[in-house]
Amino acid sequence: MKKQRLLSVVLAALLLLLCDFSGVRAATPRAKYEMRAVWLTTVYGLDWPKSSDEGRQKRELTQLLDRLQVAGINTIFLQVRGRGDLIYPSSVEPGNPLFLKSGKFMYDPLAFALDECHKRGMAVHAWLVALPLGSDRYLRSLSSTAYAKLWPGRTIKHSGEVYMDPANPATATHLRRIVAELLQKYPLDGIHLDYIRYPENIKRFPDRAAYQKADVDLSLHEWRMQNINHIVREVRDEIKQQCPTVLLSCATIGTYQREIANYDRPGGWTALDDTCQDPVAWAKDSLVDFVVPMHYIRGRSFTPIVEDWKQHLDIPIVIGLGAYRVLKGEGNWPVQEVLKQTALIQNDSIISGVCFFRADQVADLALRLHQPLRDSLFSTPVLPHPAFHSPDSVSHMMPSAPTIVSLDKKSEKGMTVLWSESDSESKRLIYSIYFSSHAEDPDTDTGDDLIAVTTATEYTLPWAKMEDEDLITLRIGAYDTHTGLESLSDEVSYYRRSPETAEAEPAIRSGGKRVSSPKFD
């Protein structure tokens, strides 16, 4: 089976190289769930903000989110911690200088961003840069409450940067405090740890004295992995204590280990061997819900590296793709390369989705990545992510099912379907519309009959989708982007008569029973 799957991926890759991406479509049955995410970077204002004015910052973000939504993005990894500073008012760490005026927040950027994302049906994961604290110059721009200023003895300087010491128990405790505050204040869908690893040039990382002092029966490499695992475990424990439905994910180096088939990048950087990240252990101990390998390479090793991740992990994998590589100073890749990689991942039934670094490259119309995503690769509707949670842990949070209340066939564009808003307490609901023809029941298990996803409570079904003298059937789902749970309405069927009999009473049924015409006409 593995050989067949690998062969299919290779054949798909060859086909995509020969085709215009406007024709690329996912294999059938079409996926119902797919994480289409971006890393939205706030450090140094790379993606946001570009202005120091509150009004302009808000407009910048809403415009960015609008473009991302049009492109098909359904999940935002929003950078809330950059280099030891936060984009929201906190009692734990100082604020990001880009959002401050006279040392105080002009508004709460995270609360604003969450509201705007949820309005668009986007899930939001708080992205925290875990260990780097920045250069001495950057630290000088922060207030006296900065971690490195309060506790310099708990940091390590390496290659011109200051880091929280992975071996010091205070590091995990501090990160746990940040996560606790986030979960208490904001309706987040996930916590995403970045730089949860040892830095580059690890052989020169100055922690030998701490290792000797620890006096453990572990190699230096094993001890370092244990330090990283401890931090991940502490964050996981805080999430489970505060809000078990919030997902925990980690960004990893793009390659798990060197010993993989067809690996053609000798000396390349790996998660396990070079940065002491052990995602296999995280998965085995249920420390994370999914991982996001930062797979920012191209060439013949791209697919084998993805296959290696799949062989080692039995938890969801979201592949990080280097959209930034299309920039002249970052590799000058052709846009087609990023599109090809996206299509390959979409055609892999095991992978849960993609996450682009960065948001700006997806939203920027001039880079020619936005339009192919909008019109082709992300044109088909999907729900943001599968239910990563144990069903037992969230079953009590099932949203109430909507009720289809009317079918209005007066529009020239199509038949407008209206339904009642779910009375679920969750504010993070989107609605899924399933449609089938020829008297068949809609398939709600796959994406084959999923024709739209919306935050509204109405949808216009184009007349072109309905044939004359055909019985079509609709179901509406209320989907909670936080829990991944969906409740479905009863079926409603409509018989579209030919123009000769169009004035006759329409045949409409709901839940298998005939309903009165006025309600649906």
Side-chain angles (χ1 to χ4, degrees):
M1 290 297 293
K2 289 183 179 179
K3 288 183 179 179
Q4 290 177 348
R5 186 168 66 241
L6 181 58
L7 178 60
S8 66
V9 170
V10 171
L11 291 175
L14 292 174
L15 179 63
L16 292 170
L17 286 172
L18 297 174
C19 296
D20 180 0
F21 279 95
S22 62
V24 173
R25 288 293 184 270
T28 55
R30 190 166 63 79
K32 175 176 176 175
Y33 304 101
E34 184 182 333
M35 184 176 284
R36 299 170 175 174
V38 293
W39 278 291
L40 200 160
T41 310
T42 59
V43 67
Y44 312 127
L46 289 176
D47 291 327
W48 175 65
K50 306 295 186 184
S51 169
S52 60
D53 176 76
E54 176 184 347
R56 290 183 180 178
Q57 286 185 1
K58 291 180 176 180
R59 286 193 296 273
E60 287 169 4
L61 181 63
T62 55
Q63 290 168 2
L64 178 63
L65 293 177
D66 283 343
R67 292 195 298 271
L68 292 173
Q69 182 184 28
V70 169
I73 298 300
N74 59 27
T75 305
I76 303 294
F77 289 2
L78 177 63
Q79 189 173 38
V80 302
R81 187 183 194 237
R83 298 297 186 267
D85 52 27
L86 304 169
I87 72 164
Y88 58 91
S90 169
S91 62
V92 182
E93 285 192 321
N96 183 322
L98 296 173
F99 294 99
L100 303 180
K101 187 174 183 179
S102 300
K104 295 183 179 181
F105 276 92
M106 298 176 283
Y107 65 108
D108 188 333
L110 178 52
F112 177 77
L114 278 165
D115 186 50
E116 291 298 321
C117 287
H118 289 155
K119 284 179 183 177
R120 293 163 175 79
M122 295 172 166
V124 183
H125 297 242
W127 162 23
L128 287 82
V129 172
L131 300 178
L133 296 175
S135 64
D136 288 336
R137 180 180 178 182
Y138 189 75
L139 289 173
R140 285 194 293 270
S141 70
L142 302 180
S143 74
S144 59
T145 60
Y147 187 88
K149 292 182 178 180
L150 286 177
W151 299 291
R154 300 176 183 177
T155 65
I156 290 180
K157 195 166 186 179
H158 171 69
S159 298
E161 299 284 323
V162 179
Y163 294 84
M164 299 177 75
D165 183 359
N168 193 316
T171 294
T173 300
H174 185 76
L175 291 173
R176 184 166 177 165
R177 286 183 62 205
I178 294 173
V179 170
E181 183 182 55
L182 278 168
L183 298 180
Q184 289 163 9
K185 294 176 63 175
Y186 302 101
L188 292 162
D189 301 301
I191 297 293
H192 179 66
L193 298 180
D194 188 15
Y195 282 91
I196 184 67
R197 56 178 169 83
Y198 278 78
E200 296 89 334
N201 302 316
I202 192 173
K203 292 182 179 179
R204 296 202 299 270
F205 194 74
D207 62 350
R208 301 304 194 280
Y211 169 61
Q212 295 295 333
K213 187 177 180 180
D215 192 24
V216 291
D217 189 22
L218 299 170
S219 68
L220 175 62
H221 186 77
E222 292 170 335
W223 175 73
R224 286 170 168 169
M225 285 196 297
Q226 178 181 268
N227 295 334
I228 298 298
N229 292 352
H230 172 69
I231 297 172
V232 176
R233 185 182 300 276
E234 286 291 307
V235 171
R236 189 283 312 266
D237 288 349
E238 187 62 39
I239 293 173
K240 297 305 178 186
Q241 179 179 318
Q242 292 281 345
C243 189
T245 56
V246 167
L247 301 173
L248 176 61
S249 62
C250 292
T252 71
I253 298 303
T255 306
Y256 173 62
Q257 61 176 356
R258 293 195 185 93
E259 292 77 18
I260 63 172
N262 300 322
Y263 187 64
D264 67 343
R265 296 168 62 85
W269 216 28
T270 67
L272 184 68
D273 302 313
D274 298 300
T275 68
C276 301
Q277 290 182 313
D278 192 0
V280 172
W282 304 343
K284 181 180 179 181
D285 293 340
S286 300
L287 300 186
V288 298
D289 294 291
F290 65 100
V291 297
V292 190
M294 299 176 290
H295 198 21
Y296 307 155
I297 67 166
R298 59 175 173 168
R300 66 186 182 94
S301 61
F302 181 87
T303 297
I305 289 173
V306 173
E307 291 297 314
D308 189 57
W309 280 111
K310 290 159 54 179
Q311 291 174 17
H312 281 93
L313 293 177
D314 59 358
I315 61 174
I317 304 167
V318 174
I319 298 296
L321 297 179
Y324 77 103
R325 293 287 201 182
V326 303
L327 300 177
K328 290 183 179 180
E330 300 288 357
N332 201 26
W333 285 9
V335 171
Q336 290 293 104
E337 179 65 33
V338 179
L339 297 172
K340 178 183 73 173
Q341 292 180 357
T342 304
L344 286 171
I345 297 303
Q346 279 192 309
N347 284 322
D348 190 316
S349 62
I350 305 300
I351 302 299
S352 296
V354 298
C355 184
F356 295 105
F357 185 81
R358 303 179 333 240
D360 191 53
Q361 282 76 65
V362 175
D364 189 343
L365 302 181
L367 290 177
R368 305 191 313 280
L369 185 58
H370 182 277
Q371 183 175 347
L373 292 178
R374 179 196 70 194
D375 296 341
S376 179
L377 295 177
F378 289 171
S379 63
T380 53
V382 292
L383 297 176
H385 60 73
F388 292 159
H389 305 285
S390 164
D392 293 338
S393 68
V394 293
S395 58
H396 64 288
M397 304 177 68
M398 182 70 73
S400 61
T403 300
I404 298 177
V405 296
S406 71
L407 302 178
D408 184 352
K409 35 191 210 66
K410 298 182 178 66
S411 170
E412 294 182 1
K413 294 181 179 179
M415 182 172 65
T416 300
V417 186
L418 292 95
W419 56 90
S420 63
E421 187 173 4
S422 172
D423 61 5
S424 170
E425 293 181 1
S426 174
K427 303 300 182 183
R428 290 170 276 187
L429 289 181
I430 55 178
Y431 295 96
S432 45
I433 297 95
Y434 300 90
F435 163 86
S436 63
S437 57
H438 308 300
E440 295 182 355
D441 295 336
D443 177 4
T444 60
D445 294 324
T446 74
D448 282 347
D449 291 338
L450 179 63
I451 60 170
V453 172
T454 179
T455 56
T457 55
E458 66 176 71
Y459 174 73
T460 299
L461 180 66
W463 292 123
K465 283 188 173 290
M466 293 179 277
E467 299 177 6
D468 291 342
E469 305 296 340
D470 188 15
L471 182 68
I472 64 106
T473 306
L474 293 164
R475 293 190 81 178
I476 308 297
Y479 180 82
D480 190 329
T481 60
H482 178 64
T483 62
L485 297 177
E486 180 184 34
S487 293
L488 294 162
S489 73
D490 289 336
E491 293 180 355
V492 168
S493 298
Y494 170 73
Y495 186 75
R496 190 183 186 196
R497 301 188 184 279
S498 63
E500 292 77 12
T501 58
E503 297 303 319
E505 180 183 6
I508 302 171
R509 296 180 181 273
S510 176
K513 299 179 180 179
R514 189 178 181 88
V515 298
S516 60
S517 298
K519 185 177 180 182
F520 290 92
D521 199 4

